Amino acid sequence: MESTKSFNQILADIRVRPIERGEEARYQALMTEHHYLGALPKIGETLLYVAMWQDQWVAQISMSGAALKCGVRDRWIGWDFRSQYGRLRLIANNSRFLILPDWHRPNVGSRVLSLLERRIAGDWQARFRHPLFLLETFVDPERFYGGVYRAANWIELGLTQGYRRTPSGYSATAVSPKWVFIRPLVRDPQARLTHPDYTHLQLTGDPNRMLNAEEMRALPLCFSDIKDPRRPQGRRHRLSVVLGIAAGATLCGMSGYKSMADWAQGLGQAARERFGCRRENKRYVVPSEFVIRDCLVRVEPGTLDRALSLWNQSWGQTADSALAMDGKTMKNAVDANGAQTHILSAVGHTSRTCYAQKK
C-alpha cells in the first residue's frame, strides 16, 4: 500500500499548465466522457489547463469569461449592472473542473486549484492583455458540497436565484440554485473592481459598450442600403444582419473575425431576434466566422464607414465640440501608379470617433 509520505511527494510533483493545441481533442474527449456536464465550447476568452504528474494527466480545468449576472457576486463586489459590463473581463469563471478517475485521492483537487491560482493571472495577461482580479465558480448543491473549493480557501458567497439560460432567454421559474464561490487573486479586489477611474484597472482601450435592444435593432438598418456583393445562391444571412452583428461585436470590444463570431455565438435568442437573424427550426441562428469574414472583405470600406457614421450620429454617446485632422502615410502601401498611400482622418476630440477618412 502506498505510504502517506510517498503520496505527499506525488502531490508536490504535480504541475499545472495550459494545454497545447494538439492536446485539445484529447482534453474535450475526456471532459465529454467523465464530466457530468460534458465538454464546453471555447467562446470568448478561454484557457484550458491540465494538471500532470510526470506524463500522466491528473485533472482538467476550463477557465472562461465571468457570468454576465450573478446577484451574490455583484453585491459582494458592490458594483451596479452598468458599471460592471466593461470590467467583467477582470473575472474568470472556473466553468469545468474534472479530476480524472484514477486520481480521486485526498488533497488532489485543492493542490491543483492552488497551482492554478499561482499562474493564471500571468497566463491571462500574456494571452488576453489584461489582468485578472478574481476567480468564480458555481457548484450544484444537489450533486456536490464544494469541498474542494472550501479546502482551497475559496470564499462561499451563497446561492444563485436558480434561473438558467434557455433558448428564449431565462427560465420563468427558479430551477436549480448553485453555490457561488470566489477566489481573489489580488488584495482589495472589491476596491479595484469598483474604482471610479477606468484607467486604474489596467485595461487597454476604451470601456466595452453594452448594446441595448434599440441599438441592436438599429445597427442592421444602417447597412440595409448596401448592395450585397455575394452571389444569390447559398445566401443564408442577409448582408445587413451580418454587418450589423460585426459592428455590434466591434462596439463591444471584439477584434478579429474569430472573436466577432464567438461574440455572435454568445448572443441569446432575444438578441438574435433583435438583430434580425435567420430563424431555423424555431431558433435564430447567427452567421459563422467564414460568413462574417467573407462579407467584410467583399464590401467596400468607404461604404461601411459612411453607414457606421450615420449610426454614430444617431446613437453616439458623446458629442464632439471639435474635430482633429490626422494624416498618415501607409508604410509599404502603394497604389497602381506606384505612389505611396496617404490617409487623412477626421477624429472627434472627446469621443475619438473617426467621422471620415479619405485616401
Side-chain angles (χ1 to χ4, degrees), residues 252-271:
C252 290
M254 303 299 108
S255 61
Y257 302 122
K258 187 177 188 309
S259 60
M260 290 179 185
D262 289 343
W263 183 86
Q265 289 293 335
L267 292 173
Q269 288 293 301

Side-chain angles (χ1 to χ4, degrees), residues 214-232:
E214 290 75 18
E215 290 172 329
M216 291 180 186
R217 294 189 180 98
L219 271 171
L221 296 177
C222 293
F223 304 104
S224 58
D225 293 333
I226 298 178
K227 184 178 179 180
D228 196 332
R230 300 172 295 172
R231 294 185 304 170

Side-chain angles (χ1 to χ4, degrees), residues 93-311:
N93 182 281
N94 177 203
S95 48
R96 293 288 188 274
F97 185 18
L98 171 67
I99 300 176
L100 292 168
D102 292 340
W103 287 90
H104 288 184
R105 310 286 294 278
N107 303 319
V108 169
S110 56
R111 169 65 175 167
V112 170
L113 285 176
S114 175
L115 293 171
L116 173 74
E117 293 163 19
R118 295 177 192 177
R119 68 167 300 157
I120 188 171
D123 293 337
W124 213 267
Q125 180 75 55
R127 178 67 179 275
F128 303 117
R129 304 299 181 188
H130 65 81
L132 276 183
F133 293 163
L134 193 70
L135 304 180
E136 68 176 15
T137 195
F138 300 93
V139 175
D140 187 347
E142 295 182 358
R143 289 177 171 268
F144 307 104
Y145 174 65
V148 66
Y149 295 102
R150 300 174 196 272
N153 295 318
W154 286 50
I155 302 170
E156 176 192 327
L157 296 184
L159 288 167
T160 65
Q161 294 183 5
Y163 297 98
R164 61 182 178 85
R165 289 291 296 269
T166 66
S168 58
Y170 287 90
S171 58
T173 58
V175 178
S176 55
K178 304 293 192 298
W179 285 111
V180 180
F181 291 87
I182 60 168
R183 179 63 171 167
L185 298 178
V186 296
R187 291 183 179 180
D188 301 322
Q190 293 146 303
R192 296 197 186 199
L193 288 167
T194 58
H195 198 284
D197 182 5
Y198 187 80
T199 59
H200 175 79
L201 301 175
Q202 307 169 42
L203 293 171
T204 57
D206 294 330
N208 288 353
R209 285 203 55 169
M210 182 176 180
L211 300 177
N212 59 38
E214 290 75 18
E215 290 172 329
M216 291 180 186
R217 294 189 180 98
L219 271 171
L221 296 177
C222 293
F223 304 104
S224 58
D225 293 333
I226 298 178
K227 184 178 179 180
D228 196 332
R230 300 172 295 172
R231 294 185 304 170
Q233 295 84 356
R235 292 183 194 168
R236 294 183 62 213
H237 303 276
R238 287 180 289 132
L239 180 67
S240 59
V241 172
V242 178
L243 298 180
I245 287 177
T250 302
L251 287 168
C252 290
M254 303 299 108
S255 61
Y257 302 122
K258 187 177 188 309
S259 60
M260 290 179 185
D262 289 343
W263 183 86
Q265 289 293 335
L267 292 173
Q269 288 293 301
R272 296 181 184 196
E273 184 273 332
R274 292 168 190 149
F275 273 108
C277 292
R278 178 188 179 96
R279 189 173 174 86
E280 295 180 359
N281 299 323
K282 299 182 180 180
R283 291 178 59 84
Y284 293 100
V285 295
V286 295
S288 65
E289 177 186 349
F290 172 82
V291 173
I292 293 173
R293 182 194 299 113
D294 183 57
C295 290
L296 290 176
V297 168
R298 289 174 182 266
V299 175
E300 198 273 320
T303 306
L304 281 176
D305 184 57
R306 288 189 291 273
L308 285 171
S309 295
L310 291 174
W311 184 89

Side-chain angles (χ1 to χ4, degrees), residues 26-57:
R26 177 187 178 188
Y27 180 99
Q28 298 289 25
L30 288 171
M31 194 67 75
T32 300
E33 180 180 359
H34 297 295
H35 198 285
Y36 77 102
L37 292 175
L40 190 68
K42 293 174 66 177
I43 299 176
E45 295 181 343
T46 301
L47 285 180
L48 306 179
Y49 287 89
V50 60
M52 300 190 67
W53 178 71
Q54 297 181 355
D55 61 346
Q56 298 180 38
W57 283 27

